[in-house]
Amino acid sequence: MNERNNLYPIFIKMHSINTLIVGGGYVALEKLTFLLKSSPNAKVTMIANFFRPNVITLAKQFDVKLIKMSYHESFLLDQDLIIAATDKPEVNKQIYNDAKANHILVNVADTPELCDFYLGGIVTKGNVKVAISTNGKSPTTAKRLRQFFEDVIPENIDDLVQNLNRFRKTIKGDFEHKVQTLNNVTKTLISNKHI
């Protein structure tokens, strides 16, 4: 029997929620970098006993709040999303348990069984964003697919999106008519000739 990816992709307005990253080392830096590359206006707090210099630099550049302390459950107050990225499995497990007890979504780095969500590969070109998931099985594959899509999605795709948005606003009629009109206009975008 073939496995399938049952994850439901969503796009979160990271500027309107509070994100906590616990950790200050290389893994935390990777998570922070990934998050800020996709959502530079994300509201992020980081907690750790030690922050790598690159973390401090990035935090200053993007207004990330750094708290130099050991993790405690009280830090979860008013947080909406948690990323555990310490080098101590027992601390990461405690963060997971505390987040679940407080009904907060959590991702424990490199521990798929302790994740409510995964951070997949992302391609962004203007208003177009494509997210790629391998169900936590192979981040390297997601990375390679991201590179592929970065190459094949044209740089001017945002011009098309902007033009279609303007056209959409001019269409009269009910929802069904608008959808049908846009489907007719865009059906030539994807064809065997373009693949």
Side-chain angles (χ1 to χ4, degrees):
M1 181 176 148
N2 289 338
E3 283 187 62
R4 69 177 290 231
N5 188 330
N6 291 319
L7 299 173
Y8 186 77
I10 61 172
F11 292 92
I12 300 172
K13 297 176 180 178
M14 296 303 293
H15 64 278
S16 65
I17 69 167
N18 296 316
T19 301
L20 175 69
I21 299 175
V22 184
Y26 289 116
V27 176
L29 174 62
E30 178 187 38
K31 300 300 183 183
L32 179 64
T33 302
F34 178 84
L35 177 62
L36 294 175
K37 180 181 178 190
S38 186
S39 300
N41 58 353
K43 292 192 316 190
V44 181
T45 300
M46 295 183 77
I47 297 167
N49 287 321
F50 167 80
F51 294 103
R52 299 208 63 76
N54 291 356
V55 172
I56 295 169
T57 301
L58 197 59
K60 286 179 183 173
Q61 184 181 350
F62 288 92
D63 199 28
V64 173
K65 182 177 180 183
L66 300 181
I67 300 173
K68 197 170 182 180
M69 291 180 71
S70 295
Y71 168 77
H72 186 272
E73 184 180 2
S74 62
F75 287 117
L76 300 184
L77 186 66
D78 295 326
Q79 298 298 324
D80 301 298
L81 200 70
I82 310 296
I83 298 172
T86 78
D87 59 357
K88 297 180 176 65
E90 66 280 2
V91 174
N92 288 340
K93 176 74 170 170
Q94 185 61 53
I95 295 165
Y96 172 82
N97 290 334
D98 292 345
K100 297 311 292 176
N102 287 282
H103 309 290
I104 303 171
L105 294 175
V106 61
N107 172 287
V108 177
D110 299 323
T111 316
E113 65 275 12
L114 299 182
C115 292
D116 293 320
F117 62 93
Y118 301 130
L119 305 171
I122 295 176
V123 178
T124 305
K125 298 217 177 175
N127 285 292
V128 175
K129 186 167 285 200
V130 178
I132 303 155
S133 167
T134 59
N135 212 16
K137 305 281 189 214
S138 177
T140 302
T141 301
K143 175 183 174 182
R144 295 298 175 220
L145 286 170
R146 176 185 53 79
Q147 291 168 337
F148 170 78
F149 284 113
E150 283 177 345
D151 288 342
V152 298
I153 296 173
E155 291 301 322
N156 66 346
I157 190 73
D158 199 51
D159 294 340
L160 174 69
V161 170
Q162 296 287 1
N163 289 334
L164 284 170
N165 183 50
R166 283 190 287 277
F167 175 65
R168 188 182 94 187
K169 292 176 181 177
T170 68
I171 302 170
K172 305 293 183 218
D174 63 13
F175 178 76
E176 187 176 331
H177 172 73
K178 290 177 181 181
V179 169
Q180 184 61 44
T181 301
L182 286 169
N183 283 339
N184 288 336
V185 168
T186 59
K187 69 182 171 189
T188 60
L189 291 177
I190 306 293
S191 70
N192 290 336
K193 290 182 264 181
H194 297 102
I195 296 176

